[in-house]
Amino acid sequence: MKYKVMLPTVLALVSQSTSLVAAEYILGASFSPTFSYNDNELLNDEEEGSFKTEISPTLILTRATETSSLSFRSGLRVERYTELKDLDREDPFANFSSSWNTERSVYGFSAGYSERAQRSIADEDTGNFSSNATVETITVSPTYSYQLTEKDSIYGSYNYSDRTYSDADSIDNPIGVNNFNDNTTHSLTGGWQHSITERLTGGLALTYANYESSGVQKSEYDTYNFAVTSSYLLTEKWSLSGQVGYRTLENEITPAVGPVLKDESSGSLFSFTSSYEGEINSVNFTLGRSLNPSGEGVVNEQDKISLSWQRNLSDTLSFNINTSYQETQTADSINTTDRKYLQFSPSLAWQLEEDLTLRFGYQYREQKGSTVDAVDSNMVYLTIGYDWSGLRFSR
């Protein structure tokens, strides 16, 4: 099982990081059950409601020195339904991250493994919220940056992602044919940053990505993106950052029947983030266009806008709103995808203790498009958030 590869890798990296520098070790855990009721759990035309209990016990191990840090998280995501028993699941996950600093260089490495229902990532994947297929995901991402001068630095990163889908394509067909395409993505980015003033930085970035899928149809996409990046600190509380780029996309699709199809396209990619951190209010706004591989065997272009706002009503009580809207279309002219997805969720959080929080919330979802009818759902939930600060010791 691929999940078992994670532990030897983590132990090897931890042993290599041992040095004479004093280190602090922390053993922690989180246990945050959520109880909810959704009147249309599968976001389908035929509404099916159910009560749901979700628990994700997580073990957390960290090690930190003045020049390095290591973190490992592992747990099990358990879901139980009262009405939709076929959706009951137990999914493992594990994540590892590390960083190491020298006088001029910063090295980073992260890796992750997870299993979860495809419907839990349907908004960014296929838009199929009724699927109970299991998505097995492996990610690996090394990074490096180097300080050339007091104002100039260069950086590079590599990202690997592999998604494998099980044969269960719906709760009505748990042993059916796999309707999804397994896919692999390789992405390589290099860039340069320059400090123009103490508050303003600018730079350039170049990204190459390759996406391959196999299943219902075979496809391969190559994309190149050149972007201008910038960040600006308006005040101690306000910050702005973003990038604008031009991308090209080349793809080759081999359908189950018929000739090989080839296509080329071009367009823009961008992202913008504005953040405010005050004593009473905290706001985060994002706007972006990105390319996302899909289990449908295609690469989608997604425009997304999101807003999160938190207002502290007292020392222990806060009100939160999280909302987002996105439009998804295929990035080539061969396939046709057109979906719109809206999510709106207000909540009230009450901190009972330093490590114990109650959160009461409501979530509204809506999806519509050329291939899906307009559907929506309403959910109310209660989360009991418990984070054990853990055991600390130095060595």
Side-chain angles (χ1 to χ4, degrees):
M1 185 179 181
K2 297 178 182 178
Y3 177 66
K4 296 180 179 179
V5 177
M6 288 290 297
L7 186 56
T9 302
V10 172
L11 293 176
L13 289 169
V14 170
S15 63
Q16 291 176 8
S17 68
T18 304
S19 65
L20 298 178
V21 180
E24 181 182 39
Y25 296 83
I26 302 176
L27 171 63
S30 65
F31 183 80
S32 302
T34 296
F35 309 93
S36 64
Y37 175 79
N38 195 319
D39 65 359
N40 189 3
E41 181 67 41
L42 302 176
L43 203 60
N44 225 336
D45 290 334
E46 299 179 1
E47 296 185 3
E48 294 183 274
S50 179
F51 287 94
K52 172 186 174 183
T53 300
E54 181 176 351
I55 305 175
S56 299
T58 305
L59 179 67
I60 306 168
L61 302 172
T62 62
R63 176 186 185 274
T65 68
E66 292 184 356
T67 59
S68 67
S69 66
L70 298 169
S71 176
F72 178 70
R73 302 170 61 92
S74 182
L76 187 68
R77 186 181 298 105
V78 181
E79 298 178 9
R80 291 291 183 268
Y81 296 82
T82 58
E83 304 298 330
L84 303 172
K85 294 293 186 181
D86 290 335
L87 299 182
D88 290 352
R89 306 180 59 88
E90 301 91 26
D91 296 321
F93 60 89
N95 295 282
F96 171 76
S97 62
S98 65
S99 65
W100 176 44
N101 302 353
T102 65
E103 185 177 354
R104 288 181 175 268
S105 298
V106 178
Y107 302 84
F109 178 83
S110 63
Y113 173 88
S114 69
E115 295 178 15
R116 63 188 312 161
Q118 189 277 334
R119 54 189 160 78
S120 67
I121 60 170
D123 57 328
E124 64 181 64
D125 193 7
T126 65
N128 183 0
F129 288 89
S130 63
S131 169
N132 200 36
T134 297
V135 184
E136 184 181 14
T137 304
I138 297 175
T139 59
V140 178
S141 179
T143 62
Y144 174 74
S145 65
Y146 182 77
Q147 192 75 33
L148 291 171
T149 66
E150 184 179 347
K151 294 186 175 183
D152 295 276
S153 62
I154 57 174
Y155 59 90
S157 65
Y158 167 73
N159 291 281
Y160 168 83
S161 174
D162 179 83
R163 283 181 177 176
T164 305
Y165 296 79
S166 73
D167 291 340
D169 61 330
S170 71
I171 62 173
D172 298 323
N173 185 21
I175 316 178
V177 177
N178 190 340
N179 288 335
F180 301 105
N181 280 37
D182 299 339
N183 53 79
T184 302
T185 303
H186 302 269
S187 177
L188 185 64
T189 298
W192 161 74
Q193 274 192 334
H194 175 73
S195 297
I196 302 171
T197 67
E198 291 183 356
R199 294 178 177 270
L200 179 63
T201 63
L204 303 172
L206 179 64
T207 299
Y208 164 74
N210 171 265
Y211 164 78
E212 296 182 0
S213 74
S214 60
V216 179
Q217 67 180 17
K218 293 183 179 180
S219 59
E220 181 174 1
Y221 289 76
D222 290 293
T223 179
Y224 303 85
N225 179 49
F226 179 76
V228 177
T229 66
S230 181
S231 63
Y232 182 60
L233 186 63
L234 288 173
T235 66
E236 293 182 356
K237 297 180 179 180
W238 272 107
S239 64
L240 304 173
S241 63
Q243 66 175 36
V244 178
Y246 177 81
R247 60 90 176 165
T248 60
L249 184 69
E250 302 173 355
N251 61 288
E252 181 177 291
I253 298 176
T254 306
V257 178
V260 175
L261 305 174
K262 296 184 179 182
D263 185 61
E264 295 184 7
S265 65
S266 60
S268 62
L269 297 179
F270 58 86
S271 64
F272 171 78
T273 300
S274 176
S275 299
Y276 173 81
E277 295 290 339
E279 296 180 0
I280 298 178
N281 293 289
S282 298
V283 181
N284 189 69
F285 171 82
T286 62
L287 173 67
R289 172 178 294 168
S290 60
L291 294 180
N292 294 324
S294 167
E296 296 172 308
V298 300
V299 169
N300 290 326
E301 184 177 83
Q302 187 178 89
D303 293 328
K304 183 174 182 179
I305 182 172
S306 63
L307 174 70
S308 62
W309 170 49
Q310 175 178 310
R311 181 174 178 83
N312 298 323
L313 304 178
S314 69
D315 292 339
T316 59
L317 197 64
S318 64
F319 176 72
N320 304 265
I321 289 180
N322 291 283
T323 184
S324 64
Y325 173 78
Q326 63 190 45
E327 295 187 357
T328 303
Q329 297 179 330
T330 43
D332 60 70
S333 59
I334 300 174
N335 301 276
T336 56
T337 296
D338 183 11
R339 294 194 305 269
K340 299 176 177 62
Y341 178 72
L342 170 68
Q343 180 270 136
F344 174 75
S345 179
S347 63
L348 191 65
W350 182 19
Q351 187 169 349
L352 299 175
E353 302 289 344
E354 183 179 355
D355 53 5
L356 181 62
T357 303
L358 295 182
R359 183 178 295 275
F360 308 86
Y362 164 80
Q363 183 189 63
Y364 173 80
R365 297 181 300 163
E366 180 183 87
Q367 180 174 241
K368 58 183 177 181
S370 58
T371 58
V372 292
D373 296 328
V375 290
D376 59 28
S377 72
N378 299 275
M379 181 181 72
V380 291
Y381 67 90
L382 166 65
T383 298
I384 304 174
Y386 178 73
D387 294 308
W388 180 48
S389 55
L391 303 175
R392 296 171 177 262
F393 61 94
S394 300
R395 177 174 177 268

